[in-house]
PDB file of all heavy atoms in Angstrom:
ATOM      1  N   SER O  18       0.849  -1.189   0.000  1.00 94.00           N
ATOM      2  CA  SER O  18       0.000   0.000   0.000  1.00 94.00           C
ATOM      3  C   SER O  18       0.881   1.234   0.000  1.00 94.00           C
ATOM      4  O   SER O  18       1.748   1.377   0.868  1.00 94.00           O
ATOM      5  CB  SER O  18      -0.916   0.013   1.228  1.00 94.00           C
ATOM      6  OG  SER O  18      -1.708   1.183   1.261  1.00 94.00           O
ATOM      7  N   GLY O  19       0.657   2.113  -0.985  1.00 87.00           N
ATOM      8  CA  GLY O  19       1.424   3.345  -1.056  1.00 87.00           C
ATOM      9  C   GLY O  19       2.915   3.126  -1.128  1.00 87.00           C
ATOM     10  O   GLY O  19       3.689   3.933  -0.580  1.00 87.00           O
ATOM     11  N   GLY O  20       3.349   2.071  -1.784  1.00 85.00           N
ATOM     12  CA  GLY O  20       4.769   1.789  -1.902  1.00 85.00           C
ATOM     13  C   GLY O  20       5.375   1.103  -0.699  1.00 85.00           C
ATOM     14  O   GLY O  20       6.556   0.736  -0.725  1.00 85.00           O
ATOM     15  N   MET O  21       4.589   0.914   0.374  1.00 94.00           N
ATOM     16  CA  MET O  21       5.075   0.238   1.573  1.00 94.00           C
ATOM     17  C   MET O  21       4.550  -1.195   1.613  1.00 94.00           C
ATOM     18  O   MET O  21       3.423  -1.466   1.202  1.00 94.00           O
ATOM     19  CB  MET O  21       4.621   0.982   2.823  1.00 94.00           C
ATOM     20  CG  MET O  21       5.102   2.421   2.909  1.00 94.00           C
ATOM     21  SD  MET O  21       6.866   2.529   3.231  1.00 94.00           S
ATOM     22  CE  MET O  21       6.926   1.855   4.899  1.00 94.00           C
ATOM     23  N   ILE O  22       5.389  -2.099   2.132  1.00 96.00           N
ATOM     24  CA  ILE O  22       4.989  -3.504   2.264  1.00 96.00           C
ATOM     25  C   ILE O  22       4.955  -3.871   3.740  1.00 96.00           C
ATOM     26  O   ILE O  22       5.892  -3.589   4.496  1.00 96.00           O
ATOM     27  CB  ILE O  22       5.962  -4.428   1.515  1.00 96.00           C
ATOM     28  CG1 ILE O  22       5.873  -4.163   0.010  1.00 96.00           C
ATOM     29  CG2 ILE O  22       5.635  -5.899   1.789  1.00 96.00           C
ATOM     30  CD1 ILE O  22       6.779  -5.024  -0.825  1.00 96.00           C
ATOM     31  N   THR O  23       3.853  -4.474   4.149  1.00 97.00           N
ATOM     32  CA  THR O  23       3.712  -4.960   5.527  1.00 97.00           C
ATOM     33  C   THR O  23       3.342  -6.435   5.479  1.00 97.00           C
ATOM     34  O   THR O  23       2.881  -6.951   4.450  1.00 97.00           O
ATOM     35  CB  THR O  23       2.633  -4.179   6.291  1.00 97.00           C
ATOM     36  OG1 THR O  23       1.377  -4.289   5.578  1.00 97.00           O
ATOM     37  CG2 THR O  23       3.010  -2.706   6.427  1.00 97.00           C
ATOM     38  N   ARG O  24       3.552  -7.109   6.608  1.00 97.00           N
ATOM     39  CA  ARG O  24       3.198  -8.524   6.711  1.00 97.00           C
ATOM     40  C   ARG O  24       1.957  -8.686   7.567  1.00 97.00           C
ATOM     41  O   ARG O  24       1.811  -8.031   8.608  1.00 97.00           O
ATOM     42  CB  ARG O  24       4.344  -9.324   7.323  1.00 97.00           C
ATOM     43  CG  ARG O  24       5.481  -9.585   6.371  1.00 97.00           C
ATOM     44  CD  ARG O  24       6.514 -10.490   7.003  1.00 97.00           C
ATOM     45  NE  ARG O  24       7.214  -9.838   8.102  1.00 97.00           N
ATOM     46  CZ  ARG O  24       7.890 -10.484   9.043  1.00 97.00           C
ATOM     47  NH1 ARG O  24       7.942 -11.810   9.032  1.00 97.00           N
ATOM     48  NH2 ARG O  24       8.504  -9.821   9.997  1.00 97.00           N
ATOM     49  N   LEU O  25       1.065  -9.516   7.106  1.00 97.00           N
ATOM     50  CA  LEU O  25      -0.108  -9.853   7.897  1.00 97.00           C
ATOM     51  C   LEU O  25       0.324 -10.777   9.040  1.00 97.00           C
ATOM     52  O   LEU O  25       1.092 -11.715   8.804  1.00 97.00           O
ATOM     53  CB  LEU O  25      -1.141 -10.554   7.013  1.00 97.00           C
ATOM     54  CG  LEU O  25      -2.581 -10.648   7.513  1.00 97.00           C
ATOM     55  CD1 LEU O  25      -3.207  -9.263   7.586  1.00 97.00           C
ATOM     56  CD2 LEU O  25      -3.395 -11.541   6.574  1.00 97.00           C
ATOM     57  N   PRO O  26      -0.144 -10.543  10.279  1.00 98.00           N
ATOM     58  CA  PRO O  26       0.263 -11.416  11.396  1.00 98.00           C
ATOM     59  C   PRO O  26      -0.441 -12.757  11.334  1.00 98.00           C
ATOM     60  O   PRO O  26      -1.287 -13.093  12.168  1.00 98.00           O
ATOM     61  CB  PRO O  26      -0.146 -10.600  12.623  1.00 98.00           C
ATOM     62  CG  PRO O  26      -1.296  -9.780  12.173  1.00 98.00           C
ATOM     63  CD  PRO O  26      -1.003  -9.428  10.741  1.00 98.00           C
ATOM     64  N   VAL O  27      -0.063 -13.555  10.329  1.00 98.00           N
ATOM     65  CA  VAL O  27      -0.782 -14.800  10.056  1.00 98.00           C
ATOM     66  C   VAL O  27      -0.652 -15.809  11.197  1.00 98.00           C
ATOM     67  O   VAL O  27      -1.561 -16.605  11.437  1.00 98.00           O
ATOM     68  CB  VAL O  27      -0.306 -15.424   8.727  1.00 98.00           C
ATOM     69  CG1 VAL O  27      -0.787 -14.615   7.542  1.00 98.00           C
ATOM     70  CG2 VAL O  27       1.223 -15.546   8.692  1.00 98.00           C
ATOM     71  N   GLY O  28       0.472 -15.793  11.903  1.00 97.00           N
ATOM     72  CA  GLY O  28       0.615 -16.704  13.040  1.00 97.00           C
ATOM     73  C   GLY O  28      -0.374 -16.370  14.135  1.00 97.00           C
ATOM     74  O   GLY O  28      -1.073 -17.258  14.658  1.00 97.00           O
ATOM     75  N   GLU O  29      -0.470 -15.107  14.477  1.00 97.00           N
ATOM     76  CA  GLU O  29      -1.384 -14.681  15.534  1.00 97.00           C
ATOM     77  C   GLU O  29      -2.836 -14.915  15.148  1.00 97.00           C
ATOM     78  O   GLU O  29      -3.644 -15.392  15.957  1.00 97.00           O
ATOM     79  CB  GLU O  29      -1.155 -13.205  15.830  1.00 97.00           C
ATOM     80  CG  GLU O  29      -1.991 -12.651  16.956  1.00 97.00           C
ATOM     81  CD  GLU O  29      -1.643 -11.212  17.269  1.00 97.00           C
ATOM     82  OE1 GLU O  29      -0.608 -10.720  16.786  1.00 97.00           O
ATOM     83  OE2 GLU O  29      -2.420 -10.566  17.992  1.00 97.00           O
ATOM     84  N   LEU O  30      -3.206 -14.594  13.902  1.00 97.00           N
ATOM     85  CA  LEU O  30      -4.587 -14.769  13.457  1.00 97.00           C
ATOM     86  C   LEU O  30      -4.976 -16.244  13.446  1.00 97.00           C
ATOM     87  O   LEU O  30      -6.114 -16.600  13.783  1.00 97.00           O
ATOM     88  CB  LEU O  30      -4.775 -14.150  12.066  1.00 97.00           C
ATOM     89  CG  LEU O  30      -4.622 -12.634  11.981  1.00 97.00           C
ATOM     90  CD1 LEU O  30      -4.684 -12.170  10.538  1.00 97.00           C
ATOM     91  CD2 LEU O  30      -5.715 -11.937  12.806  1.00 97.00           C
ATOM     92  N   THR O  31      -4.054 -17.111  13.037  1.00 96.00           N
ATOM     93  CA  THR O  31      -4.339 -18.551  13.030  1.00 96.00           C
ATOM     94  C   THR O  31      -4.398 -19.100  14.447  1.00 96.00           C
ATOM     95  O   THR O  31      -5.238 -19.953  14.769  1.00 96.00           O
ATOM     96  CB  THR O  31      -3.277 -19.294  12.208  1.00 96.00           C
ATOM     97  OG1 THR O  31      -3.193 -18.710  10.902  1.00 96.00           O
ATOM     98  CG2 THR O  31      -3.636 -20.763  12.066  1.00 96.00           C
ATOM     99  N   TRP O  32      -3.502 -18.627  15.304  1.00 96.00           N
ATOM    100  CA  TRP O  32      -3.483 -19.076  16.703  1.00 96.00           C
ATOM    101  C   TRP O  32      -4.817 -18.793  17.395  1.00 96.00           C
ATOM    102  O   TRP O  32      -5.268 -19.587  18.233  1.00 96.00           O
ATOM    103  CB  TRP O  32      -2.349 -18.379  17.451  1.00 96.00           C
ATOM    104  CG  TRP O  32      -2.367 -18.600  18.927  1.00 96.00           C
ATOM    105  CD1 TRP O  32      -1.905 -19.692  19.604  1.00 96.00           C
ATOM    106  CD2 TRP O  32      -2.899 -17.720  19.935  1.00 96.00           C
ATOM    107  NE1 TRP O  32      -2.101 -19.550  20.962  1.00 96.00           N
ATOM    108  CE2 TRP O  32      -2.715 -18.340  21.183  1.00 96.00           C
ATOM    109  CE3 TRP O  32      -3.497 -16.465  19.888  1.00 96.00           C
ATOM    110  CZ2 TRP O  32      -3.117 -17.751  22.376  1.00 96.00           C
ATOM    111  CZ3 TRP O  32      -3.897 -15.870  21.069  1.00 96.00           C
ATOM    112  CH2 TRP O  32      -3.709 -16.510  22.298  1.00 96.00           C
ATOM    113  N   LEU O  33      -5.495 -17.703  17.036  1.00 95.00           N
ATOM    114  CA  LEU O  33      -6.783 -17.398  17.649  1.00 95.00           C
ATOM    115  C   LEU O  33      -7.776 -18.539  17.475  1.00 95.00           C
ATOM    116  O   LEU O  33      -8.614 -18.782  18.346  1.00 95.00           O
ATOM    117  CB  LEU O  33      -7.367 -16.116  17.047  1.00 95.00           C
ATOM    118  CG  LEU O  33      -6.739 -14.796  17.498  1.00 95.00           C
ATOM    119  CD1 LEU O  33      -7.239 -13.645  16.638  1.00 95.00           C
ATOM    120  CD2 LEU O  33      -7.042 -14.533  18.965  1.00 95.00           C
ATOM    121  N   GLY O  34      -7.688 -19.245  16.357  1.00 93.00           N
ATOM    122  CA  GLY O  34      -8.590 -20.359  16.115  1.00 93.00           C
ATOM    123  C   GLY O  34      -8.064 -21.690  16.607  1.00 93.00           C
ATOM    124  O   GLY O  34      -8.777 -22.690  16.558  1.00 93.00           O
ATOM    125  N   GLU O  35      -6.812 -21.729  17.062  1.00 92.00           N
ATOM    126  CA  GLU O  35      -6.220 -22.991  17.512  1.00 92.00           C
ATOM    127  C   GLU O  35      -5.682 -22.887  18.932  1.00 92.00           C
ATOM    128  O   GLU O  35      -4.927 -23.750  19.382  1.00 92.00           O
ATOM    129  CB  GLU O  35      -5.102 -23.409  16.553  1.00 92.00           C
ATOM    130  CG  GLU O  35      -5.623 -23.677  15.141  1.00 92.00           C
ATOM    131  CD  GLU O  35      -4.603 -24.350  14.248  1.00 92.00           C
ATOM    132  OE1 GLU O  35      -3.401 -24.339  14.582  1.00 92.00           O
ATOM    133  OE2 GLU O  35      -5.020 -24.907  13.217  1.00 92.00           O
ATOM    134  N   ALA O  36      -6.073 -21.840  19.654  1.00 90.00           N
ATOM    135  CA  ALA O  36      -5.573 -21.638  21.013  1.00 90.00           C
ATOM    136  C   ALA O  36      -6.027 -22.740  21.959  1.00 90.00           C
ATOM    137  O   ALA O  36      -5.491 -22.869  23.061  1.00 90.00           O
ATOM    138  CB  ALA O  36      -6.029 -20.279  21.544  1.00 90.00           C
ATOM    139  N   GLY O  37      -7.002 -23.533  21.553  1.00 89.00           N
ATOM    140  CA  GLY O  37      -7.481 -24.609  22.405  1.00 89.00           C
ATOM    141  C   GLY O  37      -6.859 -25.954  22.122  1.00 89.00           C
ATOM    142  O   GLY O  37      -7.338 -26.973  22.627  1.00 89.00           O
ATOM    143  N   LEU O  38      -5.804 -25.995  21.309  1.00 91.00           N
ATOM    144  CA  LEU O  38      -5.131 -27.273  21.059  1.00 91.00           C
ATOM    145  C   LEU O  38      -4.555 -27.830  22.366  1.00 91.00           C
ATOM    146  O   LEU O  38      -4.220 -27.066  23.281  1.00 91.00           O
ATOM    147  CB  LEU O  38      -4.001 -27.087  20.049  1.00 91.00           C
ATOM    148  CG  LEU O  38      -4.413 -26.771  18.603  1.00 91.00           C
ATOM    149  CD1 LEU O  38      -3.188 -26.441  17.768  1.00 91.00           C
ATOM    150  CD2 LEU O  38      -5.164 -27.938  17.987  1.00 91.00           C
ATOM    151  N   PRO O  39      -4.432 -29.151  22.485  1.00 90.00           N
ATOM    152  CA  PRO O  39      -3.882 -29.740  23.717  1.00 90.00           C
ATOM    153  C   PRO O  39      -2.486 -29.203  24.017  1.00 90.00           C
ATOM    154  O   PRO O  39      -1.628 -29.143  23.139  1.00 90.00           O
ATOM    155  CB  PRO O  39      -3.849 -31.242  23.408  1.00 90.00           C
ATOM    156  CG  PRO O  39      -4.858 -31.435  22.328  1.00 90.00           C
ATOM    157  CD  PRO O  39      -4.840 -30.191  21.514  1.00 90.00           C
ATOM    158  N   ARG O  40      -2.248 -28.810  25.257  1.00 90.00           N
ATOM    159  CA  ARG O  40      -0.959 -28.253  25.669  1.00 90.00           C
ATOM    160  C   ARG O  40       0.079 -29.359  25.863  1.00 90.00           C
ATOM    161  O   ARG O  40      -0.228 -30.464  26.297  1.00 90.00           O
ATOM    162  CB  ARG O  40      -1.113 -27.475  26.968  1.00 90.00           C
ATOM    163  CG  ARG O  40      -2.024 -26.253  26.862  1.00 90.00           C
ATOM    164  CD  ARG O  40      -1.434 -25.203  25.946  1.00 90.00           C
ATOM    165  NE  ARG O  40      -0.116 -24.781  26.400  1.00 90.00           N
ATOM    166  CZ  ARG O  40       0.093 -23.818  27.292  1.00 90.00           C
ATOM    167  NH1 ARG O  40      -0.939 -23.167  27.821  1.00 90.00           N
ATOM    168  NH2 ARG O  40       1.315 -23.479  27.645  1.00 90.00           N
ATOM    169  N   ILE O  41       1.330 -29.040  25.534  1.00 91.00           N
ATOM    170  CA  ILE O  41       2.456 -29.927  25.776  1.00 91.00           C
ATOM    171  C   ILE O  41       3.196 -29.408  27.010  1.00 91.00           C
ATOM    172  O   ILE O  41       3.638 -28.255  27.027  1.00 91.00           O
ATOM    173  CB  ILE O  41       3.428 -29.951  24.568  1.00 91.00           C
ATOM    174  CG1 ILE O  41       2.712 -30.450  23.313  1.00 91.00           C
ATOM    175  CG2 ILE O  41       4.640 -30.802  24.880  1.00 91.00           C
ATOM    176  CD1 ILE O  41       2.282 -31.888  23.363  1.00 91.00           C
ATOM    177  N   PRO O  42       3.307 -30.217  28.061  1.00 90.00           N
ATOM    178  CA  PRO O  42       4.039 -29.753  29.252  1.00 90.00           C
ATOM    179  C   PRO O  42       5.462 -29.351  28.885  1.00 90.00           C
ATOM    180  O   PRO O  42       6.166 -30.077  28.171  1.00 90.00           O
ATOM    181  CB  PRO O  42       4.022 -30.962  30.181  1.00 90.00           C
ATOM    182  CG  PRO O  42       2.867 -31.798  29.705  1.00 90.00           C
ATOM    183  CD  PRO O  42       2.793 -31.592  28.222  1.00 90.00           C
ATOM    184  N   SER O  43       5.894 -28.175  29.347  1.00 87.00           N
ATOM    185  CA  SER O  43       7.221 -27.680  29.007  1.00 87.00           C
ATOM    186  C   SER O  43       7.757 -26.833  30.144  1.00 87.00           C
ATOM    187  O   SER O  43       7.004 -26.150  30.837  1.00 87.00           O
ATOM    188  CB  SER O  43       7.171 -26.846  27.720  1.00 87.00           C
ATOM    189  OG  SER O  43       8.407 -26.240  27.449  1.00 87.00           O
ATOM    190  N   ALA O  44       9.071 -26.874  30.306  1.00 83.00           N
ATOM    191  CA  ALA O  44       9.706 -26.039  31.326  1.00 83.00           C
ATOM    192  C   ALA O  44       9.855 -24.600  30.862  1.00 83.00           C
ATOM    193  O   ALA O  44      10.124 -23.707  31.662  1.00 83.00           O
ATOM    194  CB  ALA O  44      11.084 -26.617  31.670  1.00 83.00           C
ATOM    195  N   THR O  45       9.662 -24.357  29.554  1.00 90.00           N
ATOM    196  CA  THR O  45       9.766 -22.995  29.024  1.00 90.00           C
ATOM    197  C   THR O  45       8.483 -22.234  29.308  1.00 90.00           C
ATOM    198  O   THR O  45       7.392 -22.703  28.962  1.00 90.00           O
ATOM    199  CB  THR O  45      10.016 -23.027  27.505  1.00 90.00           C
ATOM    200  OG1 THR O  45      11.135 -23.853  27.223  1.00 90.00           O
ATOM    201  CG2 THR O  45      10.256 -21.622  26.978  1.00 90.00           C
ATOM    202  N   PRO O  46       8.545 -21.058  29.914  1.00 91.00           N
ATOM    203  CA  PRO O  46       7.328 -20.292  30.204  1.00 91.00           C
ATOM    204  C   PRO O  46       6.609 -19.883  28.917  1.00 91.00           C
ATOM    205  O   PRO O  46       7.235 -19.712  27.863  1.00 91.00           O
ATOM    206  CB  PRO O  46       7.851 -19.058  30.960  1.00 91.00           C
ATOM    207  CG  PRO O  46       9.220 -19.432  31.418  1.00 91.00           C
ATOM    208  CD  PRO O  46       9.754 -20.398  30.428  1.00 91.00           C
ATOM    209  N   ASP O  47       5.287 -19.725  29.009  1.00 91.00           N
ATOM    210  CA  ASP O  47       4.514 -19.234  27.872  1.00 91.00           C
ATOM    211  C   ASP O  47       5.044 -17.872  27.434  1.00 91.00           C
ATOM    212  O   ASP O  47       5.446 -17.047  28.264  1.00 91.00           O
ATOM    213  CB  ASP O  47       3.044 -19.098  28.257  1.00 91.00           C
ATOM    214  CG  ASP O  47       2.336 -20.446  28.267  1.00 91.00           C
ATOM    215  OD1 ASP O  47       2.999 -21.459  27.993  1.00 91.00           O
ATOM    216  OD2 ASP O  47       1.131 -20.483  28.561  1.00 91.00           O
TER     217      ASP O  47
END
């Protein structure tokens, strides 16, 4: 748009629909 290029936050938008997937126990904080 107007000579500028941006990226759609496709990871975040997809995560909204998959946030309820089964969690994997991990020592790394969310």
Side-chain angles (χ1 to χ4, degrees):
S18 178
M21 300 289 293
I22 294 180
T23 57
R24 284 185 292 161
L25 197 66
V27 289
E29 183 176 347
L30 294 174
T31 306
W32 171 81
L33 285 170
E35 297 191 343
L38 291 173
R40 297 294 302 274
I41 299 293
S43 174
T45 307
D47 282 1

